[in-house]
Amino acid sequence: MPAAHPTVVVVGASLAGLLAAAAAARAGHPVTVLERDALTGPPGPRRGVAQGAQPHVLLHRGLAEATTLLPGLGEDLLAAGAVRVDTGRLPWFGPAGWQPTDVPSYAVLSLTRPLLEHVVRERVLALPGVGLRGGCRVRGLERAGGRWRVLVEDGPDEEADLVVDASGRGSRLPTWLAALGLAVEEPETVDAGLGYASRLYRARDGHPLTNGAVVQSTTDSPRGGLALPVEDGGLLVLACGYGEHRPDRDVDLVAYLGGLREPALGELTAGLEPVGEVAVHRQTGNRRHQHGRRRDWPDGLLAVGDALCAFNPVYGQGITVAAIQARLLGEALRRRRGGSTRRLQRRLRAAADLPWAVATGEDRRYLDGTTPSPAARLVGAWTTEVGNLAVAGDRRALVALGRLYHLMGSPLELAHPALLLAAARRRRGPAQPSAPRPPELEALLTAAHG
Ligand SMILES: Cc1cc2nc3c(=O)[nH]c(=O)nc-3n(C[C@H](O)[C@H](O)[C@H](O)COP(=O)(O)OP(=O)(O)OC[C@H]3O[C@@H](n4cnc5c(N)ncnc54)[C@H](O)[C@@H]3O)c2cc1C
C-alpha cells in the first residue's frame, strides 16, 4: 500500500462497502464507491442485495462498531423508525424451552434492511471525500504502473491505489485474480441448506407492534421462525428450515409457524394483516475465501464483508463482522505505514474466526453424514448444557450466552467454573418443569389481535 493518502475505490455500496468507505474517508483518503445498482428512489429491496426483504438483526457489537465510524448512527436509525428491542426481553424458545425474560440484555435496533442501508448510505455520503457512482458494474482489475485500474462496464474506468472488494457473496474477485495470473485457492464452505421465507405484517387495527419472538430450530426439529418489529409498526415474520424443510414461495406461513415445536408464531401471524408478498432466500451457506493466505497476494487489494466471508445468516453476524473489518481498515490506513496489504487482509480474515467457528460448528450438526470432531461435539454438548441452565433461570448462563451471541464476549466465558458447578448441581437435582410462555409474548399476542 503506498504510504501517503492512497485513492481508494470500493466495489459495492452495500453495508460492508459503505462502512469501509466511511473508515477510509475518516482516515483522510478520497474514496469512490462503485455500485452496480442505480440507488435512486426511496429505500426498498434492490437486485444487488437479494436478501434485502429478509429480517436483518444488527447485533449489539455491530451497532457499537458502526457507531465508532458514524457517531450518532443509533439516534439516526431511531429517528428513521427503528424499534429498540432489549434482547433479554425478547421471547425466545430455545432447544430447552422458553428462556426467562427478567434479565435485561443487549439492545438491538430493529428495522428493515433497506432502511438500515439507506440511513447508513446517507451518513457515509455526507462524509468529506466520499463519492458514489451508482449503476456501474465492475468487470475486472488491471495493474497500471503500481496502481490499479478498475474496469467498469458502461462507463469510464477508475484508477486507484487501494481497491476494496465489498461486492458480496457473489464477488467475482477470484475470477479477476485468476485473470491477473494469480493462483486462487478454493473457498472453505459449510452449507447446511437453510432456506428463509419472510413476509411483512401489520396489526389489523393499526396498533404498532414493538416486540417480537423467536422459535429456534433444533437438529431434531429443523424448522424455526421469528418475528421482529420494524419501522411503521410492522412485524417482519420469518419461517426458516433446513434441507427438505425449507419453505418455498407458496408457503402458508401461518400453518408452517403453527406447526413448530411451539406454535406461538403461528398464533401471532394468524391475526395479522399481510403486507406484500412472501420473499424467499436460499443462498445461506457459510463460505470463506482464502484471500491473503498466499504470499503473492497483490498489494493494494483487499476484500471485506461477504466477499471475504459469508455466514449462515441465522446467527445475524454478517454486518457486525463487516463493521469490525471497516474499523480495522481505518486503523491501518491511519497508521499509514505503507508496505504490503497482505498482513491487513489476513487480519480482516481473522476478524471472522470466532463467528465462523460459531456458525459452522452449529451448522455441521445439521449436515447428514458429517461427523463433528470430538472437540466440536464437546463444545456443542456444553453449549446445550449452558442453554439448559439459562432456561432454568441461571443468570450467569443467560449473560454468557447473550455476550457470545452479540459477539461481545469469548466462548471461554461459557466455561466459567460457576457454570460447571451449576450444571453438576442441575444434573443431580429434580427435573425442572418447562417454563410457561413469558408475559412479553402474551403482551405481543394481545397487541397483535386487539
Ligand atoms: C437471508 C439473509 C439474512 C441475513 N440476515 C442478517 C442479519 O440478521 N444480520 C446480519 O448482520 N447479517 C445478515 N445477513 C448478511 C448480510 O446481508 C451481509 O453480511 C451484509 O449485507 C454485508 O454484506 P456485503 O455488503 O458484504 O454484501 P452485499 O450486502 O451482498 O452487497 C454487495 C453489494 O455489491 C454490489 N455489487 C456486486 N457486484 C458488483 C460489481 N461487479 N460492481 C459493482 N457493484 C457490485 C451489489 O449490488 C451490492 O450492493 C443476512 C444475509 C442473508 C442472505
Side-chain angles (χ1 to χ4, degrees), residues 11-17 34-37 46 48-49 51 54-57 113 136-138 166-168 196 281 283 305-306 313 316-320:
V11 184
S14 177
L15 287 159
L34 306 177
E35 166 57 48
R36 68 177 219 185
D37 285 348
R46 60 186 179 88
V49 179
Q51 71 272 32
Q54 306 298 334
H56 274 67
V57 177
R113 160 67 206 244
C136 99
R137 182 197 289 263
V138 173
S167 62
Y196 269 36
H281 197 93
Q283 285 181 327
D306 287 15
Q317 301 165 321
I319 303 168
T320 295

Side-chain angles (χ1 to χ4, degrees), residues 38 45 50 62 145 182 245 253 289 349 425 441:
L182 296 165
H245 301 277
L253 279 180
H289 288 282
R349 192 172 180 279
R425 244 184 264 122
L441 177 65

Side-chain angles (χ1 to χ4, degrees), residues 211-435:
N211 203 351
V214 178
V215 176
Q216 216 179 310
S217 63
T218 65
T219 45
D220 292 334
S221 176
R223 292 176 172 217
L226 63 76
L228 284 175
V230 294
E231 65 271 16
D232 301 328
L235 198 68
L236 198 48
V237 176
L238 163 75
C240 58
Y242 289 85
E244 64 192 34
H245 301 277
R246 288 182 299 186
D248 57 29
R249 204 176 297 279
D250 302 326
V251 64
D252 177 340
L253 279 180
V254 174
Y256 189 103
L257 295 168
L260 300 181
R261 291 182 299 130
E262 215 306 340
L265 290 171
E267 291 165 30
L268 174 66
T269 310
L272 298 174
E273 184 177 3
V275 182
E277 300 302 316
V278 173
V280 295
H281 197 93
R282 291 187 165 186
Q283 285 181 327
T284 59
N286 302 284
R287 186 167 54 183
R288 175 147 87 149
H289 288 282
Q290 315 288 1
H291 299 328
R293 282 190 12 154
R294 290 178 56 91
R295 286 189 183 282
D296 58 358
W297 180 257
D299 264 1
L301 180 64
L302 295 170
V304 294
D306 287 15
L308 175 59
C309 183
F311 305 93
N312 177 344
V314 82
Y315 309 104
Q317 301 165 321
I319 303 168
T320 295
V321 171
I324 295 170
Q325 291 167 337
R327 174 181 45 83
L328 293 173
L329 170 67
E331 287 169 3
L333 288 176
R334 263 194 303 277
R335 282 198 297 272
R336 281 196 207 124
R337 287 223 188 96
S340 155
T341 33
R342 178 172 170 244
R343 189 179 304 157
L344 175 56
Q345 181 60 70
R346 289 166 67 95
R347 289 187 66 208
L348 298 176
R349 192 172 180 279
D353 282 351
L354 173 60
W356 176 265
V358 169
T360 57
E362 216 22 54
D363 281 3
R364 283 202 168 92
R365 293 164 20 132
Y366 284 87
L367 284 170
D368 289 343
T370 313
T371 317
S373 67
R377 257 206 309 272
L378 188 66
V379 170
W382 179 244
T383 309
T384 306
E385 194 61 47
V386 178
N388 290 337
L389 285 175
V391 166
D394 185 304
R395 288 180 173 242
R396 188 184 289 276
L398 270 171
V399 170
L401 285 174
R403 284 175 57 77
L404 183 61
Y405 174 70
H406 285 278
L407 297 178
M408 297 296 288
S410 141
L412 292 178
E413 292 173 24
L414 298 186
H416 193 282
L419 290 176
L420 299 172
L421 263 176
R425 244 184 264 122
R426 199 185 76 89
R427 294 214 154 188
R428 282 199 302 271
Q432 298 281 325
S434 56

Side-chain angles (χ1 to χ4, degrees), residues 168-189:
R169 197 180 264 276
S171 164
R172 307 268 300 149
L173 185 57
T175 312
W176 300 343
L177 289 170
L180 290 167
L182 296 165
V184 181
E185 293 172 65
E186 281 299 306
E188 272 176 272
T189 54

Side-chain angles (χ1 to χ4, degrees), residues 104-146:
S105 183
Y106 296 110
V108 293
L109 299 182
S110 191
L111 69 173
T112 59
R113 160 67 206 244
L115 183 60
L116 169 63
E117 190 183 302
H118 178 81
V119 173
V120 171
R121 189 165 67 237
E122 299 271 293
R123 285 292 311 271
V124 174
L125 295 184
L127 293 173
V130 181
L132 169 69
R133 278 179 62 192
C136 99
R137 182 197 289 263
V138 173
R139 61 178 175 83
L141 295 174
E142 276 177 4
R143 306 242 207 199

